C-alpha cells in the first residue's frame, strides 16, 4: 500500500519519540508498504519561535535571541543523540542543523534591529521548527538502514499562494510532488516537513497553525496514496476530547463532511483544511495512535456507514469572543449585513459562527485574537447609530453528526441537557446541512456542557460510540 504518514509535534516531542516514529515507519516499509513521512516540529517549538520573534521585535533585545538559540540547539542536539545511533549520521545531522540554526539566529537578530515582524518573516521564522525536525527523523531512518532524504514542503513540490500564515497549494503542486517523490517511493522513506510550502518566488509560506495534517493530505494527493495516516497521541477521532471526557470512545468511521465540521468546530485532532484535498480525490484518511499501531483508529471516507447515533461527537471552541451589532437602521433595510461583513473581511477577520435573532441585531463569534480590531473597526465605520458590544468570557459547544439531518428532537435534547445542568445558552447556531448544532455558553461552563451533551447522546456506550 502507498501511505503518507504524518506525525504531529507531540509524537516527535523528543529523540526517543522520534526513534519510535522512525521504527514505526520502518516496520511498514519492511512489510512492503511505500511510505512518505510528514513531520511537524518538536512539540512547542513553533510557539517558542513565534514568541521569541515577537519579543525581539517589541523589545529589540538580542540577548533574548541568543539565550533562545542556545536552548534550541541543546534541545535538537539531544534529540539527535537519542534518535540516531550511528555516529557518522549523528555528525552529519548536527552539522546540517548547526548551519540552519545559525541562519535562524541571523534572521531573529535582524528582527530585533529592525523592530519589524511582517507576516512573511513570521512564516520564515516559524518554518524552522519543521526544518529542524525533518533532518533528525530522516537521520534516524538512515541509522536504521533505510535510505531516506528530507525535503522542505517547497522542495517536495508544495507551491502555494502568497497568503502568508494561511497559504494554499496551487494546483500545479500535485504534479510537482509526484515528479519529486514518486521515483524514491520504492527504495526509500522520504521525509517532508509539514506546515510549510513556498510561493512561486521561492519564499517560504505556512499553511496555517497545525497545518501538517494539511501537508499530509496534499502530499497524499500528489503521490496518489492509497491512504493518508495521521498518527496522534489519541486513539483516533473520538466522541469528545478525551482530556475533557475520559469515557470518550473512538469513532471507527466518519465521513469527510462530518470530520470537517468537527474540526472547524474546535476538535483539535484534525486541521480543518486537512480533509479537503483527500476528499476531492477520494483518498481515505486514517487517524491512528502512535501508542497502539495495531488499533485501527478512525477511517475518514466518502460513504458514511449509517451510524446508530444521530450525534457522533461533541466538540468545543475556546478563546473566542461574541460580538453583538444592533441598530434600528438594520430593520427593513437591504445590504446592511453586507456592510458589516465587509468591514470584517477588510480587517481579515474570520467569522466562526453567526446568529441573527431579529432584523435589528446580529451576533457572531470571532477568535479572541481578532476581538479588539473587530470592535474598533465596526465602531469606526458604522458610527453612532449602531451599538457594538462584546463578551470575551464565552466558548462554543457543538454536537456534530450526519444523522442529525432530518431527525426531529435533537435541538430539544441539547437544550434540555444543558438546562438540567443550569447552563445558560447565550447564542445558538445551526448550519443548513443540519450536521451540527452549536451553542455559545460561558467559558466557565463549557467543559460541563461537553460532558452533559456526551452523556445525553450516550456516546460513551459501545453500541453507540462504536458502529
Ligand atoms: N474529538 C477528539 N478526538 C480526539 N482528540 C481530540 C478531540 N478533540 C480534541 N482532541 C485533542 O486533539 C489532540 C490530538 O492529538 P495530538 O497527538 O496532539 O495531535 P497533533 O500532534 O497532530 O497536533 C489531543 O490533544 C486531544 O486531546
Ligand atoms: N508545528 C506547526 C504545525 C503543526 O501541524 O503542528 P502539530 O502537528 O504539532 O499540530 C504548529 O505548531 O502549528
Amino acid at each position: 500500500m502507498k501511505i503518507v504518514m504524518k506525525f504531529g509535534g507531540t509524537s516527535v516531542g523528543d529523540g526517543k519519540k522520534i526513534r519510535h516514529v522512525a521504527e514505526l515507519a520502518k516496520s511498514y516499509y519492511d512489510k512492503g508498504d511505500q511510505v512518505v513521512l510528514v513531520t511537524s516540529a518538536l512539540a512547542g517549538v513553533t510557539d517558542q519561535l513565534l514568541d521569541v520573534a515577537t519579543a525581539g521585535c517589541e523589545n529589540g533585545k538580542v540577548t533574548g535571541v541568543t539565550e533562545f538559540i542556545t536552548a534550541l540547539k541543546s534541545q535538537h542536539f539531544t534529540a539527535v543523540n537519542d534518535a540516531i545511533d550511528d555516529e557518522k549520521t549523528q555528525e552529519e545531522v548536527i552539522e546540517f542543523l548547526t548551519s540552519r540554526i545559525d541562519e535562524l539566529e541571523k534572521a531573529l537578530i535582524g528582527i530585533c534591529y529592525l523592530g519589524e515582524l511582517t507576516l512573511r518573516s513570521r512564516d520564515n521564522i516559524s518554518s524552522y521548527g519543521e526544518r529542524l525536525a525533518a533532518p533528525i527523523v530522516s537521520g534516524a531512518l538512515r541509522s536504521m538502514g533505510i535510505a531516506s532524504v528530507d525535503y522542505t514542503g517547497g522542495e517536495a513540490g508544495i507551491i502555494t499562494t502568497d497568503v502568508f500564515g494561511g497559504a494554499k497549494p496551487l494546483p500545479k503542486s500535485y504534479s510537482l510532488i509526484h515528479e519529486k517523490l514518486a521515483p524514491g517511493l520504492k527504495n526509500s522513506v522520504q521525509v517532508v516537513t509539514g506546515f510549510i510550502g513556498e510561493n512561486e518566488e521561492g519564499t517560504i509560506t505556512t499553511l496555517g497553525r497545525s497545518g501538517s495534517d494539511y501537508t499530509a493530505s496534499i502530499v497524499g494527493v500528489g503521490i496518489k496514496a492509497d491512504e493518508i495516516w495521521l498518527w496522534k497521541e489519541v486513539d483516533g477521532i473520538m466522541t469528545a476530547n478525551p482530556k475533557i471526557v475520559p469515557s470518550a470512545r473512538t469513532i471507527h468511521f466518519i465521513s469527510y463532511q462530518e470530520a470537517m465540521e468537527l474540526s472547524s468546530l474546535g476538535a483539535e485532532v484534525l486541521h480543518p483544511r486537512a480533509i479537503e484535498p483527500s476528499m476531492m480525490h477520494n483518498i481515505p484518511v486514517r487517524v491512528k495512535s502512535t501508542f497502539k499501531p495495531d488499533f485501527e483508529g478512525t477511517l475518514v471516507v466518502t460513504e458514511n456507514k449509517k451510524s446508530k447515533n444521530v450525534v457522533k461527537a461533541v466538540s468545543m471552541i475556546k478563546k473566542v469572543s461574541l460580538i453583538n451589532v444592533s441598530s434600528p437602521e438594520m430593520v427593513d433595510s437591504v445590504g446592511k449585513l453586507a456592510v458589516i461583513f465587509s468591514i470584517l473581511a477588510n480587517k481579515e477577520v474570520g467569522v466562526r459562527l453567526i446568529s441573527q435573532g431579529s432584523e435589528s441585531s446580529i451576533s457572531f463569534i470571532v477568535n479572541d485574537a481578532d476581538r479588539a480590531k473587530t470592535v474598533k473597526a465596526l465602531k469606526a465605520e458604522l458610527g453612532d447609530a449602531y451599538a457594538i458590544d462584546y463578551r470575551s468570557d464565552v466558548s462554543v459547544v457543538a454536537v456534530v453528526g450526519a444523522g442529525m439531518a432530518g431527525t426531529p428532537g435533537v435541538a430539544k435534547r441539547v437544550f434540555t441537557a444543558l438546562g438540567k445542568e443550569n447552563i445558560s445558552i447565550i447564542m445558538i447556531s445551526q448550519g443548513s446541512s443540519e450536521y451540527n448544532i452549536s451553542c455559545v455558553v460561558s467559558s466557565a461552563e463549557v467543559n460541563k456542557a461537553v460532558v452533559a451533551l456526551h452523556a445525553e447522546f450516550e456516546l460513551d456506550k459501545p453500541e453507540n460510540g462504536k458502529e
Side-chain angles (χ1 to χ4, degrees):
M1 204 161 54
K2 213 188 286 174
I3 314 167
V4 174
M5 297 191 178
K6 177 262 172 176
F7 294 89
T10 30
S11 305
V12 294
D14 58 33
K16 286 200 183 84
K17 288 184 167 191
I18 292 177
R19 180 189 288 268
H20 176 58
V21 158
E23 277 163 357
L24 265 178
K26 177 180 183 307
S27 67
Y28 289 94
Y29 178 78
D30 286 346
K31 273 188 271 175
D33 291 318
Q34 297 178 0
V35 177
V36 172
L37 197 154
V38 171
T39 182
S40 296
L42 274 60
V45 170
T46 312
D47 284 335
Q48 290 163 20
L49 287 162
L50 288 168
D51 287 350
V52 78
T54 309
C57 173
E58 282 166 7
N59 63 27
K61 287 190 184 149
V62 172
T63 47
V65 169
T66 43
E67 279 164 25
F68 167 73
I69 290 290
T70 307
L72 189 77
K73 267 190 187 155
S74 152
Q75 179 187 15
H76 286 81
F77 294 175
T78 307
V80 169
N81 292 328
D82 291 343
I84 302 174
D85 287 330
D86 169 49
E87 271 181 35
K88 189 168 164 282
T89 312
Q90 275 184 5
E91 277 166 25
E92 277 165 19
V93 175
I94 288 195
E95 192 185 305
F96 184 73
L97 294 189
T98 306
S99 70
R100 236 175 213 176
I101 295 178
D102 287 349
E103 205 182 275
L104 165 69
E105 185 172 17
K106 285 191 194 114
L108 285 169
I109 292 175
I111 288 167
C112 290
Y113 283 127
L114 292 174
E116 190 181 71
L117 182 58
T118 59
L119 288 176
R120 176 190 166 119
S121 34
R122 273 176 72 86
D123 272 13
N124 179 280
I125 299 294
S126 59
S127 73
Y128 277 92
E130 275 69 12
R131 289 162 70 200
L132 298 177
I136 311 180
V137 177
S138 182
L141 283 159
R142 286 198 302 279
S143 83
M144 290 170 190
I146 307 276
S148 177
V149 197
D150 63 282
Y151 299 111
T152 64
E155 286 165 355
I158 304 179
I159 308 301
T160 71
T161 57
D162 274 328
V163 184
F164 294 104
K168 283 185 168 184
L170 299 177
K172 68 176 178 188
S173 298
Y174 299 109
S175 55
L176 289 172
I177 294 167
H178 195 265
E179 255 168 52
K180 185 78 196 188
L181 301 181
L185 277 175
K186 285 220 169 78
N187 54 11
S188 65
V189 174
Q190 299 162 101
V191 178
V192 181
T193 58
F195 179 53
I196 62 181
E198 62 187 45
N199 68 10
E200 295 202 89
E201 283 80 50
T203 304
I204 293 228
T205 54
T206 68
L207 309 175
R209 292 306 307 270
S210 303
S212 301
D213 288 348
Y214 191 22
T215 303
S217 197
I218 296 164
V219 172
V221 172
I223 66 160
K224 302 185 173 46
D226 296 301
E227 285 193 10
I228 294 156
W229 289 7
L230 306 177
W231 291 90
K232 306 273 168 181
E233 299 281 285
V234 286
D235 286 354
I237 301 180
M238 306 188 69
T239 49
N241 185 344
K243 289 183 186 138
I244 310 288
V245 186
S247 62
R249 301 188 68 86
T250 306
I251 301 168
H252 291 265
F253 294 95
I254 193 165
S255 66
Y256 291 120
Q257 185 67 35
E258 288 171 314
M260 278 199 287
E261 297 259 346
L262 201 53
S263 54
S264 66
L265 287 165
E268 302 132 354
V269 63
L270 273 188
H271 183 276
R273 282 214 221 128
I275 295 298
E276 193 187 306
S278 349
M279 181 174 80
M280 300 302 285
H281 294 82
N282 209 4
I283 302 177
V285 175
R286 198 177 278 283
V287 182
K288 279 173 78 75
S289 164
T290 48
F291 300 122
K292 300 182 194 166
D294 295 331
F295 183 65
E296 60 196 349
T298 301
L299 192 63
V300 189
V301 277
T302 308
E303 280 305 314
N304 186 19
K305 280 199 178 175
K306 189 73 184 162
S307 166
K308 284 184 204 153
N309 297 24
V310 282
V311 166
K312 260 198 175 156
V314 185
S315 67
M316 66 174 183
I317 319 178
K318 284 188 164 175
K319 296 188 185 155
V320 289
S321 290
L322 172 66
I323 314 277
N324 291 306
V325 179
S326 62
S327 169
E329 292 203 358
M330 290 164 74
V331 179
D332 259 349
S333 70
V334 174
K336 292 289 192 251
L337 295 181
V339 172
I340 292 169
F341 289 113
S342 308
I343 295 170
L344 301 188
N346 289 339
K347 293 285 165 197
E348 294 186 347
V349 173
V351 177
R352 304 204 60 170
L353 288 182
I354 304 173
S355 173
Q356 187 171 29
S358 76
E359 253 197 302
S360 65
S361 71
I362 183 150
S363 307
F364 47 84
I365 293 288
V366 299
N367 289 334
D368 266 346
D370 291 331
R371 179 186 63 238
K373 71 172 173 185
T374 303
V375 171
K376 192 171 163 202
L378 289 170
K379 282 190 173 163
E381 297 196 33
L382 293 174
D384 291 342
Y386 284 75
I388 319 286
D389 56 83
Y390 69 86
R391 282 186 68 164
S392 54
D393 59 345
V394 296
S395 296
V396 177
V397 60
V399 292
V400 174
M404 287 164 58
T407 306
V410 182
K412 180 182 157 213
R413 286 176 71 183
V414 170
F415 304 149
T416 310
L418 296 181
K420 266 197 226 150
E421 293 297 325
N422 251 338
I423 298 169
S424 102
I425 301 173
I426 300 162
M427 180 180 128
I428 301 161
S429 167
Q430 179 177 27
S432 62
S433 68
E434 292 186 63
Y435 277 20
N436 76 71
I437 296 176
S438 310
C439 299
V440 176
V441 298
S442 128
S443 290
E445 293 180 322
V446 70
N447 286 9
K448 196 164 77 168
V450 172
V451 172
L453 293 173
H454 197 265
E456 170 62 31
F457 291 98
E458 301 186 330
L459 299 180
D460 49 353
K461 295 220 172 114
E463 65 270 26
N464 288 312
K466 190 172 170 154
E467 308 212 11

